[in-house]
Structures are given as C-alpha cells and as structure tokens.
Amino acid sequence: MFAVKQALLAFNKINVSLGRLISWLVLIMVITVFGIVILRYVFSVGWIWLQELVTWMHAVVFLLTAGYTLSEDAHVRVDVLYRRWSKKTQRQINFFGSLFCLCPVSLFLFFGSLDYVDASWTIKEASKDAGGLGYPFIPLLKTAIPISGILLFIQGLFIAYKSIGANDND
C-alpha cells in the first residue's frame, strides 16, 4: 500500500510540474497571435502554418493541463449543492465520481484514441491546407489525446486515494 501511495504522490507531482510547464504555452500563444496581427495588418503578410500553430498550442494546453487543473481543484464545478455539504460527503462524492465517472471516461479517451493516433502516424498526416503544418506536427498533436487520458486517469486515482485517506473530523 505504501508503494501505491508513493507512486500516486510521484505522479501527482509530475502532473503538476507538467501542467505548470505547459501552461507557459498560453503566453507564447498570446505573443504569437500578437505577431500574426502585426504581420497581417502592418506588413500584409500571413502564414497558414503560423495560424495553425496557435490552434495546435491551444489544443496542447487544453489536453495536457486538464489533469493539472483537476489536481489544483481549479476545474469547472457546478457546486450548487456540493459546497453546502460536509467535507465527508464531498470526499465521498470525489471518491465515487473519480472511480466511476472520471476514470472510465479517461480510459475510454485513452483506448478510443489509439487507432486514431496510430493512423495519423502511419499515413504521416499533415495539414490539409496548403502551407499548413506538415508531418510530424499533426500526429504529435494527436498523440496528446491518449496522454491526456492517462494523465486524467491517474489524477482520478490520486483524487480517490486522497478522498479515502483524508481526516473525517471536518
């Protein structure tokens, strides 16, 4: 049991570190969009690949920081009832929600995306737009989908573990 606890704690630390690192892409996206606007309206220059890059960065931020957002309890939660419940009830909701909702959906995301990602790598997929991002950028982006599933799954296990290990004196 100690090994499981250590593994979950280590993975949570990795998830948080990865989330913090990837979140810097938001600043890079803002700078890139600013550059696109300046290039387009000041210099009348535009590149499809640069515009696609912003879309891909946004997707990577969304996919690879979902577990981090969950670990920080910063995700969107409709907590009309949740916030009024006792800490014990909240932990029970977190436990069952993680094990029976989040983990299965995360595994579905992982396994359901494997063929999709494999096909992208196999055909050496590139942008359908002339001048867009080429190989290997599209398959790399699609690889973030199963990675996101794994990050969410293990974060769900960590939340479930944390829920049963918390103090009931609240």
Side-chain angles (χ1 to χ4, degrees):
M1 191 65 169
F2 180 74
V4 171
K5 177 182 178 181
Q6 291 305 107
L8 288 173
L9 286 171
F11 185 80
N12 185 61
K13 193 173 188 176
I14 290 168
N15 208 2
V16 169
S17 298
L18 178 65
R20 289 181 178 158
L21 178 68
I22 296 294
S23 67
W24 281 98
L25 273 179
V26 175
L27 177 61
I28 295 169
M29 280 187 333
V30 169
I31 293 168
T32 304
V33 169
F34 180 74
I36 290 170
V37 170
I38 295 299
L39 287 170
R40 165 101 41 220
Y41 293 107
V42 176
F43 300 106
S44 297
V45 174
W47 294 298
I48 300 293
W49 67 267
L50 193 57
Q51 293 173 351
E52 284 186 357
L53 188 61
V54 172
T55 303
W56 303 139
M57 283 190 288
H58 183 263
V60 167
V61 167
F62 177 80
L63 288 167
L64 297 184
T65 61
Y68 165 68
T69 303
L70 192 59
S71 75
E72 299 294 311
D73 200 25
H75 57 288
V76 175
R77 181 192 308 249
V78 181
D79 62 351
V80 174
L81 300 175
Y82 182 86
R83 65 179 162 197
R84 296 180 188 179
W85 291 334
S86 70
K87 295 291 183 187
K88 181 179 181 180
T89 302
Q90 288 178 0
R91 285 193 300 275
Q92 290 172 340
I93 295 294
N94 289 341
F95 177 78
F96 288 109
S98 294
L99 284 186
F100 298 112
C101 293
L102 177 60
C103 286
V105 169
S106 299
L107 288 176
F108 177 77
L109 179 63
F110 175 76
F111 289 110
S113 66
L114 291 178
D115 288 339
Y116 179 67
V117 173
D118 181 53
S120 183
W121 282 103
T122 301
I123 65 170
K124 298 184 178 185
E125 187 175 8
S127 176
K128 292 171 182 28
D129 294 322
L133 290 174
Y135 178 80
F137 293 105
I138 307 301
L140 277 172
L141 172 67
K142 290 182 178 184
T143 301
I145 298 169
I147 292 172
S148 178
I150 291 298
L151 292 172
L152 283 171
F153 176 76
I154 298 179
Q155 194 62 45
L157 292 178
F158 180 75
I159 289 169
Y161 179 80
K162 193 168 72 169
S163 296
I164 59 173
N167 187 356
D168 284 338
N169 294 335
D170 296 319

